[in-house]
Amino acid sequence: MKLTDEQKREIIACIEAGKPLAQKYRFLIFGDAREVELVWNGKTAEVCNVVLPFQRIEQVDEPRSEAVREAQPELFDKKSGRQLRGWANKLIWGDNKLVLSSLKSGAMREEIEKADGIKLIYIDPPFDVGADFSMDIAIGGDTFTKAPSVLEEIAYRDTWGKGADSFIAMIYERLQLMRDLLADDGSIYVHCDWRVNAFMRLVLDEIFGKNNFRNQVIWHYQSGGRQEKLFSRKHDMIFLYTKSSKWTFNAEAIGTPRGEKKRNNMKKGEDADGRIYWSIKSAGKIYKYYEDEKITPADAWTDISHIHQKDPQRLGYPTQKTEKILERVIKASSNEGDIVADFFCGSGTTAAVAEKLGRKWLVSDLGKFAIHTTRKRLIAVQRQLKTEEKNWRAFEILNLGKYERQHYIGVNPNLSDEEQRRQIVAKERDYWLLILHAYRAEVIENDETFQGKKNGRMVAIGPINLLVTRLFAEEIILRCRERRISRIDILAFEFEMGLFPNIQQQAREKGVDMALKYIPREVFDKRAVEKNQVVFYDVSYIDAKILHSGGKSKNPQTIAVQLLNFSVHYSQGSITDTEYKLKNGGSKVIVDNGRIIRITKDKKGVVTQKNLTPNWSDWIDYWAVDYNFESRKEVVQAKDPATGEMRELWTGDYVFENEWQSFRTRQERKLEMTSAYKEIPVNTRRKVALKVVDIFGNDTMRILEV
């Protein structure tokens, strides 16, 4: 296209000044290369290609009946009834960008392809700009608002903190990874509301192609408040795209009978088989519509309501959707045995419905509380299916494995290797200095392993926005032994599930006293740091014992586990600050060193405190037992550095096989303190593991020897 002299001068002036060209010049210079394109600040064609190993830390499986075991001995253990082979459903904790990238190009891709690939993806991303990962948790008759973890807050900041363009950038990259992971005949449903639906449609057109757009579903509901200055917003959008021109759509599975309602200008009749129909004559032809024929729902869903407050399926999760939506989606766009995926799984609705409908599933979430909520929900589904004598599959809980440093401190990958190294060093040092100052520790310079020292103990600091993994802790133990260091504190915002107490025991066996401590959110509050109000709290501790019953030589005996105590040290909020800021007649719930306290100030300004967790058991939301820990090694797929080929490696740890559990629900708040008894051979040594998950979703393990 010919440019005017004025346009040429403007382009030259921009180039000389080092300024970006106005968007209009993209089309003036390059013509009609692309009719319509969504452009935002910072748009890039780069897609994450990091491949990290998945660590299987837990398997959950309600044992089958004896008849099922005998009918399918190749799939289930003859004695326990637990699943041995075949696809195990997957619940993954981690950043879904890294999860998707590792699924797409890692070892698990082969496992997915053997199961015919992912045929359906449903996502309900956090499109609410007010969403901040905080959770309301019921404590007796009170509600405590749990602040988001630092990992969750950083994810929120990166998604919404920079405005709509940061949300689009986040979802754009993840949708590209989902498209690559989806089977060729697969479909994707993307749920959103008025905040981002215009952006989402354009993003999906660009990634999947506008020719693969199939439906814009309107989900209309009656719940919600009234508006006085605009029309009330009472619908969401669900966009349906396919990867290609071939896809699954089961109209019959989601249809509803036409029914016997009278139709205008139609005549009622009955055919020779006794079927009732309505007929109409048009353009010389007679059209018959049978009452028992099923009608496929239109693209406006008015027959599905939000979950009401007292609905049994409500789990208190802020973005939870009704199972009826997922039933329609899964029935329509998948068949029994297909894999269904959800990478913003929240409370686990997609997984729960997929399990009930006989589909395989794979879901993930960044929030630890979401993973715990989903675990409890799926255990309840397994129990329900067992009662109904229906099939189900075991499911695994997985972590992402070792992280590379540049992924947690935000290094620009476009820089040269030397510039990246300098940026890593500078950013890490700023982060370490902040934590060490709050911890009141002495700074150690130029040490690749240890950042500080306090009271004769070395200090190592975990990454800011990723969890401390077993590999991280093992590296610290190795360096301690090499340098003859006997005492070490590891400070972290988050620890890998199932990490303790095994890692501390491993350290003790090698002569290292290892303390694991959580970094509190208050490290970012300068006033709290200067007033020495920042408390780094220890990980939780479980006290329990083995109960024995019966048993003679060469005959089985039975054992059970009894919980005796559970101690936590969390803090969120300050008693002094809360009392000072609280208005007369107000109240607030805080956490102070393992006690959840309601602080109330009456109309006269008199302050009172009430401990809402007077018993140690009040902190426990869930606990489970593995009666034969160390019976199943944890194996990961990793590249052999010598050959570059994938091979299985033992991590040195074991999978927690969840054999018994007790947990609280909204309907049932009581918790059993003694597990069921389990038969084991006498005169044998074994380790029994118990896992406790507190009301915040944090897990702790204890190993007992029998």
Side-chain angles (χ1 to χ4, degrees):
M1 181 177 291
K2 190 174 181 179
L3 299 174
T4 66
D5 291 340
E6 183 180 351
Q7 289 170 337
K8 291 176 183 177
R9 285 194 296 272
E10 186 176 345
I11 291 172
I12 292 170
C14 286
I15 293 172
E16 289 178 344
K19 296 180 179 179
L21 294 179
Q23 286 294 328
K24 64 182 180 181
Y25 288 116
R26 298 176 69 242
F27 300 101
L28 288 173
I29 296 173
F30 300 108
D32 298 328
R34 182 174 283 180
E35 288 180 19
V36 178
E37 182 182 2
L38 180 62
V39 178
W40 64 88
N41 185 25
K43 183 176 182 180
T44 174
E46 292 181 2
V47 178
C48 180
N49 60 3
V50 175
V51 178
L52 302 173
F54 289 100
Q55 298 175 318
R56 290 174 170 86
I57 60 169
E58 183 175 346
Q59 178 163 332
V60 185
D61 193 13
E62 186 75 13
R64 275 77 176 174
S65 67
E66 190 172 343
V68 173
R69 300 178 216 173
E70 292 178 354
Q72 296 177 284
E74 73 284 359
L75 289 181
F76 305 109
D77 182 82
K78 189 173 182 181
K79 188 173 183 181
S80 70
R82 297 172 65 80
Q83 183 176 321
L84 296 174
R85 297 175 187 83
W87 171 271
N89 293 319
K90 306 186 191 309
L91 174 57
I92 306 172
W93 179 39
D95 181 335
N96 56 15
K97 179 172 76 172
L98 296 174
V99 169
L100 284 160
S101 177
S102 300
L103 287 172
K104 173 191 167 186
S105 305
M108 197 175 288
R109 181 65 180 262
E110 183 179 349
E111 188 179 350
I112 292 171
E113 297 303 328
K114 283 182 179 179
D116 293 329
I118 295 175
K119 295 299 180 75
L120 169 63
I121 296 174
Y122 168 91
I123 60 170
D124 181 11
F127 48 78
D128 182 355
V129 294
D132 62 359
F133 290 98
S134 61
M135 291 294 302
D136 288 338
I137 298 172
I139 307 292
D142 290 86
T143 299
F144 170 69
T145 301
K146 174 191 171 293
S149 70
V150 173
L151 272 74
E152 293 167 335
E153 190 163 277
I154 289 172
Y156 165 71
R157 181 195 66 198
D158 291 345
T159 302
W160 278 116
K162 303 169 187 173
D165 56 348
S166 60
F167 173 83
I168 299 168
M170 179 277 293
I171 201 68
Y172 186 81
E173 183 175 15
R174 284 157 176 79
L175 284 169
Q176 289 184 82
L177 290 165
M178 289 181 209
R179 183 194 178 279
D180 292 342
L181 195 57
L182 196 61
D184 289 340
D185 57 348
S187 307
I188 183 169
Y189 288 73
V190 180
H191 195 134
C192 59
D193 75 353
W194 58 273
R195 296 172 181 86
V196 296
N197 58 14
F199 300 134
M200 195 69 79
R201 175 70 186 271
L202 293 172
V203 168
L204 288 163
D205 271 352
E206 191 165 311
I207 293 172
F208 286 87
K210 60 184 180 181
N211 293 334
N212 288 323
F213 166 73
R214 304 303 168 196
N215 275 116
Q216 175 178 290
V217 173
I218 297 171
W219 173 38
H220 172 71
Y221 42 81
Q222 295 297 327
S223 57
R226 296 181 179 180
Q227 300 288 337
E228 295 185 357
K229 294 187 177 181
L230 64 148
F231 299 106
S232 297
R233 299 186 179 107
K234 292 185 179 291
H235 78 275
D236 288 356
M237 293 291 190
I238 304 175
F239 295 113
L240 167 58
Y241 282 74
T242 60
K243 189 170 181 178
S244 68
S245 58
K246 182 183 178 183
W247 72 94
T248 297
F249 193 80
N250 301 313
E252 183 75 12
I254 59 172
T256 55
R258 188 179 298 274
E260 56 186 20
K261 184 178 178 181
K262 179 175 173 57
R263 289 159 178 78
N264 294 335
N265 303 319
M266 288 190 181
K267 294 182 179 180
K268 190 174 185 179
E270 183 177 341
D271 66 13
D273 296 326
R275 295 177 68 198
I276 306 298
Y277 64 84
W278 296 83
S279 65
I280 188 170
K281 189 173 183 180
S282 177
K285 293 184 179 179
I286 296 177
Y287 297 89
K288 291 183 178 180
Y289 301 93
Y290 286 89
E291 286 186 352
D292 59 359
E293 281 181 332
K294 288 188 175 180
I295 304 174
T296 305
D299 59 3
W301 297 354
T302 60
D303 58 333
I304 299 177
S305 301
H306 262 307
I307 308 172
H308 60 76
Q309 290 295 327
K310 295 184 179 180
D311 194 308
Q313 70 175 273
R314 177 173 281 279
L315 301 172
Y317 215 81
T319 57
Q320 184 180 351
K321 299 298 186 294
T322 175
E323 290 190 2
K324 290 182 179 179
I325 288 180
L326 272 302
E327 285 175 10
R328 182 166 292 172
V329 167
I330 292 172
K331 284 181 178 179
S333 295
S334 70
N335 298 309
E336 286 194 25
D338 286 349
I339 300 178
V340 175
D342 183 348
F343 300 100
F344 298 87
C345 77
S347 61
T349 304
T350 300
V353 176
E355 187 70 73
K356 292 176 185 178
L357 295 177
R359 273 65 168 176
K360 303 181 182 83
W361 52 265
L362 183 157
V363 301
S364 74
D365 203 281
L366 176 67
K368 185 184 283 188
F369 195 85
I371 297 299
H372 175 53
T373 301
T374 300
R375 167 170 48 197
K376 291 201 302 182
R377 187 171 186 174
L378 267 297
I379 290 172
V381 170
Q382 285 190 353
R383 292 177 178 179
Q384 175 189 336
L385 293 174
K386 184 175 184 179
T387 301
E388 297 172 357
E389 298 185 353
K390 295 180 180 177
N391 293 330
W392 68 91
R393 290 179 183 273
F395 70 92
E396 304 169 324
I397 300 175
L398 302 99
N399 280 330
L400 278 172
K402 187 176 182 181
Y403 295 90
E404 297 177 16
R405 291 194 301 169
Q406 56 265 40
H407 295 298
Y408 66 75
I409 58 174
V411 173
N412 184 352
N414 297 319
L415 298 175
S416 68
D417 290 346
E418 180 59 25
E419 288 173 327
Q420 284 191 47
R421 190 193 66 78
R422 289 175 184 168
Q423 197 175 84
I424 287 173
V425 170
K427 288 197 172 189
E428 279 185 335
R429 190 174 189 279
D430 290 343
Y431 164 54
W432 292 337
L433 289 176
L434 173 71
I435 304 303
L436 292 170
H437 180 50
Y439 195 53
R440 306 290 176 181
E442 174 189 347
V443 178
I444 297 177
E445 299 286 359
N446 303 318
D447 194 310
E448 293 184 357
T449 305
F450 306 107
Q451 290 77 50
K453 187 175 183 179
K454 180 179 180 180
N455 299 331
R457 301 179 67 89
M458 302 300 283
V459 177
I461 303 173
I464 185 170
N465 67 336
L466 294 171
L467 60 157
V468 161
T469 66
R470 184 187 315 107
L471 295 174
F472 181 99
E474 287 174 345
E475 181 75 13
I476 296 295
I477 296 171
L478 178 62
R479 297 291 170 251
C480 284
R481 295 191 70 195
E482 288 176 349
R483 295 164 60 171
R484 297 185 179 181
I485 293 168
S486 60
R487 296 189 294 172
I488 176 72
D489 294 346
I490 297 181
L491 313 180
F493 287 108
E494 199 71 87
F495 292 96
E496 175 185 288
M497 290 182 182
L499 182 62
F500 21 85
N502 273 16
I503 196 68
Q504 291 115 311
Q505 179 62 32
Q506 184 178 331
R508 278 193 295 270
E509 290 171 355
K510 295 179 180 179
V512 179
D513 174 16
M514 175 184 285
L516 305 177
K517 293 179 179 289
Y518 283 102
I519 302 171
R521 298 167 50 81
E522 287 76 18
V523 293
F524 299 113
D525 184 338
K526 290 183 179 179
R527 292 175 301 174
V529 173
E530 297 308 322
K531 292 179 182 178
N532 200 22
Q533 294 176 338
V534 179
V535 179
F536 289 69
Y537 51 91
D538 295 325
V539 296
S540 304
Y541 176 76
I542 306 166
D543 190 14
K545 70 177 181 180
I546 298 289
L547 302 179
H548 297 261
S549 175
K552 296 180 180 180
S553 180
K554 298 183 180 179
N555 292 322
Q557 67 168 327
T558 59
I559 61 168
V561 179
Q562 182 181 9
L563 283 181
L564 300 176
N565 201 354
F566 181 64
S567 59
V568 298
H569 308 279
Y570 305 134
S571 292
Q572 180 183 310
S574 162
I575 292 178
T576 305
D577 285 353
T578 302
E579 290 179 349
Y580 175 75
K581 294 177 182 178
L582 205 59
K583 295 180 179 180
N584 290 359
S587 68
K588 186 176 181 180
V589 179
I590 68 161
V591 184
D592 178 66
N593 194 27
R595 297 180 305 149
I596 299 183
I597 300 171
R598 184 178 68 229
I599 301 174
T600 304
K601 184 180 287 187
D602 67 16
K603 293 181 180 180
K604 295 181 180 180
V606 177
V607 176
T608 57
Q609 298 179 12
K610 182 181 179 181
N611 184 4
L612 303 180
T613 51
N615 301 312
W616 58 266
S617 59
D618 295 333
W619 272 100
I620 300 177
D621 186 65
Y622 166 106
W623 72 290
V625 179
D626 181 347
Y627 294 94
N628 191 15
F629 192 59
E630 297 190 357
S631 63
R632 180 181 174 190
K633 292 182 176 180
E634 183 200 11
V635 176
V636 297
Q637 295 280 339
K639 278 188 178 180
D640 186 320
T643 64
E645 296 179 353
M646 299 299 294
R647 63 188 181 94
E648 290 189 344
L649 295 174
W650 179 36
T651 66
D653 213 333
Y654 301 88
V655 177
F656 181 91
E657 294 199 285
N658 195 316
E659 298 185 77
W660 176 92
Q661 62 285 129
S662 177
F663 54 87
R664 304 184 200 273
T665 66
R666 294 188 78 200
Q667 293 75 33
E668 179 53 65
R669 304 304 300 163
K670 292 182 180 179
L671 202 66
E672 297 175 66
M673 290 294 109
T674 302
S675 75
Y677 277 86
K678 174 85 171 181
E679 281 192 3
I680 66 167
V682 297
N683 299 326
T684 59
R685 296 182 65 85
R686 66 167 62 191
K687 292 182 179 179
V688 174
L690 58 149
K691 178 178 292 189
V692 173
V693 181
D694 66 35
I695 55 180
F696 289 172
N698 299 309
D699 73 311
T700 306
M701 280 180 61
R702 177 76 189 273
I703 311 297
L704 301 172
E705 288 202 11
V706 180

